Amino acid sequence: MMWFLLFFNGVLGFVLGAILGDFLPQTSIFNDSTYAYWFFALFIAIAFGVARFMVSKGGEWLLRLIAPARKMSQREKEKVKHALHLVQEKAKEKFNFEINDLHLFTIDSPLINAFAMSRNILAVTRGALDTLDTEDLAGLIAHEHGHFYYKDSEKLAINLGLLVMAEGLLYVNAILMLLKSKLSQIHGLVAMVMLIPFVLALMFKYVGSIGIWVYNITYPMLSRKQEYRADMFACELGFGKGMLTVLETIQGYEYKENNFSSKVTQTHPDTALRIDEIDKYLAAA
């Protein structure tokens, strides 16, 4: 999906070039019609730069800064230390996979959950730390290591950066369309007439957002496959029973609206179906 966002940012750059074409200096190389194409190429290049940045040291620092979590306290690190060590040892033994300089965060939520982002950011909810024993916590952490192993967490970071860029370009283009309409007016117009370019700018903002709507509908389908794969990674490391207990606990309190919108946009498969897949794996093992 990041390829879609790269292209979408290029399209928004194309629109920006078309809007600014009248105001930028004309040369033998640039004219009104070619600015849009140059801007398309420029913003594709910028999007690639954003993608690279999001998985660099700078991008990881930014993600740690904006993550909806806080640094894990020493007492919380002690709770997670043994489970984390078990998972790291198994991952290295079975897949020759290890994470250098893992940054641990806590999400202040009573629910049981965790998330992996970029290459070395792992956050665990306070609910998981307070209620899960070592085996179950290892199952949850092993699942997140699956996201690290398959680079799902890096893709998530890249998509976040490209989405922010796209949202910013949508607003900039909408504002510039409005300003261009105002500047092109020779005579003053009454408020009713000036409402027209304003409405057109808003239409561009929301019609342009179709690209992001497409992303928001199609990305969850990919994400649900990633969740199944991370569950199987935990099973292959030997923490399937712990992950199964975690899912059974979550199923005991979770509530999902089974309407069309929630089914299309939910990023995780139904918990009962995930439990079925782990049951099958454990039965065959």
Side-chain angles (χ1 to χ4, degrees), residues 45-83:
I46 292 174
F48 268 106
V50 169
R52 292 291 299 272
F53 171 76
M54 293 307 294
V55 290
S56 69
K57 293 292 185 182
E60 288 167 3
W61 174 85
L62 178 62
L63 289 169
R64 293 198 298 271
L65 185 67
I66 65 175
R70 58 173 171 79
K71 288 185 178 180
M72 192 173 283
S73 70
Q74 192 59 43
R75 182 174 293 185
E76 290 165 336
K77 287 180 180 178
E78 287 298 320
K79 289 183 179 180
V80 80
K81 181 173 67 174
H82 185 49

Side-chain angles (χ1 to χ4, degrees), residues 52 59 69 90 101 130 172 184 216 233 237 239 244 249 255:
R52 292 291 299 272
K90 284 291 185 180
D101 193 25
D130 290 343
V172 167
S184 64
N216 287 336
F233 183 87
L237 290 187
F239 301 104
L244 184 61
T249 305
Y255 169 75

Side-chain angles (χ1 to χ4, degrees), residues 17-18 32 50 53 57 89 138 144 156 160 174 177 205 218 242-243 262 264 267 273 275 278 280:
D32 287 353
V50 169
F53 171 76
K57 293 292 185 182
E89 286 295 306
E144 298 307 323
L156 178 63
L160 176 62
M177 285 183 71
K205 166 64 181 75
T218 53
M243 189 61 204
S262 63
V264 169
T267 57
L273 299 181
I275 290 173
I278 296 178
K280 292 176 186 176

